[in-house]
Amino acid sequence: MIAVSIQGSTPEQVRAVAQRLFADNFPRLSQSAQETVTSRASDLAEAFIEKAIDRGVSLSAAADPDVQYLLLASQRDYARSGNDSLKKLLVDLLVERSSAHEDLEKIVLGEAIETARKLTSKQISALTICWLLRSTTPTSVQTFDDFIDYAQVNYQPFCSNLPVNNSEYAHIQYTGSTIPGMGNSLGYLLSNQVPGLFQRGFPVNAIPEPLWQEPVRQELFSVNLYDSTLWQVDAPDEPKAREKLAKVGLSNLEQQYVGLLNSYRHSDEEVEKRLIDSGAFWADLIHVWQSTNLSSLTASSVGTAIAHSNWVAVTGGLSPLSTWITENKH
């Protein structure tokens, strides 16, 4: 039994609140069914307490009426399904909600908890990969191999069992987890996120002379990844390219330098071939992306919260939801 107190609320107090909420509000079933749902509700409450303590989140949030309502909703949904993946996702969302401060984030997380039960594990995986590919950027990568390693950690876990029937994607949209978007190819999305990893290269005479002066050219350019007779911008994306220019004092040449980064990219088809040739899960993902409506969906705010919590639960990712769900303050 956990026997610690966090900022005024003990696990025992939260446990008692959860038990009372469930007992008072869940319909009475036959004896065997009642034992099952009661056990499941208790398991979810215990998982919530442990996860909150592990993340340093105050259990005093359990006194909030909205948090109590959402705790009951989570117990209800897990008690009905017994789906362990759903339990983990609901617990993660509950912990996020317990630590949220902004009104918008609280509302979005509440809606996400109410929506999660409407999605299958496959659909949640599809929602997660959709959000990752459209709304996140692999900022830590410098080389193509870095990107492949990043993708193995962040993309691969969600690609093994994606829906292949468009009715499943229509249902995701029905729940409000996604909104219609542009049907971009996967090659297009990735080459826009990290154009520096998919450069076909350019000759020296394409480089403006002020950028090719010693010693700055050693900071700004490198031999092309795919053709050693050509050069490329030594930066994975536009923000990093701007940082490089600022470092050498040539920010006034940003348009020319970033122009080289964007003008000499591989085609979308070449990007996808390069990914498929690297092996792993890419061929299957690209096939599903091309043959279903996955390519035309964009995560809504609620879908973002669900996808983010699923990503955190599976990969241990550390970026907070507030990176994507924010309120503008003046």
Side-chain angles (χ1 to χ4, degrees):
M1 178 179 291
I2 302 168
V4 298
S5 176
I6 297 183
Q7 297 182 18
S9 291
T10 67
E12 288 77 12
Q13 290 171 326
V14 176
R15 191 177 295 115
V17 167
Q19 290 172 348
R20 187 177 68 251
L21 283 171
F22 188 76
D24 291 348
N25 292 280
F26 196 86
R28 295 297 299 178
L29 306 177
S30 66
Q31 182 176 350
S32 61
Q34 191 66 38
E35 290 173 356
T36 298
V37 297
T38 300
S39 175
R40 289 173 179 172
S42 177
D43 287 347
L44 183 136
E46 200 64 39
F48 166 64
I49 292 167
E50 292 180 4
K51 180 73 75 171
I53 291 172
D54 182 58
R55 292 197 189 168
V57 173
S58 173
L59 290 178
S60 62
D64 184 317
D66 189 51
V67 172
Q68 288 191 14
Y69 176 88
L70 294 171
L71 173 58
L72 173 61
S74 299
Q75 289 179 297
R76 174 202 66 200
D77 293 339
Y78 174 59
R80 291 173 61 188
S81 73
N83 185 306
D84 283 339
S85 295
L86 177 62
K87 180 180 78 170
K88 292 176 183 177
L89 178 60
L90 289 170
V91 165
D92 235 74
L93 289 166
L94 274 171
V95 173
E96 287 276 359
R97 170 60 187 85
S98 297
S99 60
H101 299 291
E102 301 293 341
D103 288 343
L104 177 61
E105 192 174 355
K106 292 177 182 179
I107 292 169
V108 167
L109 285 163
E111 290 296 318
I113 289 170
E114 298 273 22
T115 302
R117 67 177 178 84
K118 302 175 184 177
L119 297 166
T120 67
S121 296
K122 284 173 145 185
Q123 290 169 336
I124 291 171
S125 289
L127 181 58
T128 304
I129 198 68
C130 168
W131 168 72
L132 284 167
L133 289 168
R134 287 195 176 275
S135 302
T136 70
T137 302
T139 55
S140 61
V141 304
Q142 295 293 328
T143 67
F144 182 77
D145 287 341
D146 288 343
F147 175 71
I148 294 301
D149 291 342
Y150 170 93
Q152 283 292 118
V153 172
N154 292 281
Y155 301 162
Q156 190 275 333
F158 311 105
C159 294
S160 60
N161 198 26
L162 292 171
V164 295
N165 190 312
N166 277 331
S167 64
E168 298 207 53
Y169 294 102
H171 180 73
I172 297 173
Q173 190 170 338
Y174 162 77
T175 68
S177 299
T178 61
I179 56 177
M182 296 289 292
N184 305 120
S185 71
L186 197 59
Y188 174 86
L189 288 178
L190 293 175
S191 66
N192 273 274
Q193 284 186 4
V194 280
L197 305 186
F198 301 106
Q199 296 181 73
R200 55 187 171 85
F202 40 79
V204 170
N205 60 16
I207 304 172
E209 187 174 347
L211 295 173
W212 193 243
Q213 297 296 318
E214 291 285 5
V216 298
R217 69 184 185 194
Q218 296 173 17
E219 289 281 340
L220 301 180
F221 299 98
S222 59
V223 175
N224 181 250
L225 292 171
Y226 312 104
D227 185 342
S228 61
T229 68
L230 300 174
W231 294 86
Q232 68 177 55
V233 169
D234 190 20
D237 53 38
E238 289 189 24
K240 291 289 194 309
R242 294 189 183 97
E243 287 177 18
K244 289 250 183 186
L245 275 183
K247 183 179 178 181
V248 298
L250 293 176
S251 294
N252 60 308
L253 297 175
E254 179 180 299
Q255 184 175 355
Q256 293 94 316
Y257 189 57
V258 173
L260 288 171
L261 177 67
N262 290 320
S263 298
Y264 290 88
R265 294 191 306 206
H266 287 134
S267 68
D268 300 345
E269 293 78 11
E270 288 171 328
V271 171
E272 292 179 359
K273 183 179 184 305
R274 175 68 176 162
L275 293 170
I276 291 171
D277 288 346
S278 73
F281 61 92
W282 287 106
D284 290 339
L285 173 58
I286 290 171
H287 172 72
V288 174
W289 192 268
Q290 292 175 341
S291 61
T292 70
N293 289 337
L294 175 60
S295 63
S296 62
L297 297 181
T298 298
S300 66
S301 58
V302 171
T304 293
I306 293 172
H308 174 266
S309 279
N310 190 42
W311 170 70
V312 168
V314 173
T315 69
L318 299 175
S319 297
L321 178 62
S322 57
T323 303
W324 295 272
I325 306 296
T326 59
E327 292 184 35
N328 293 323
K329 293 187 175 181
H330 301 284

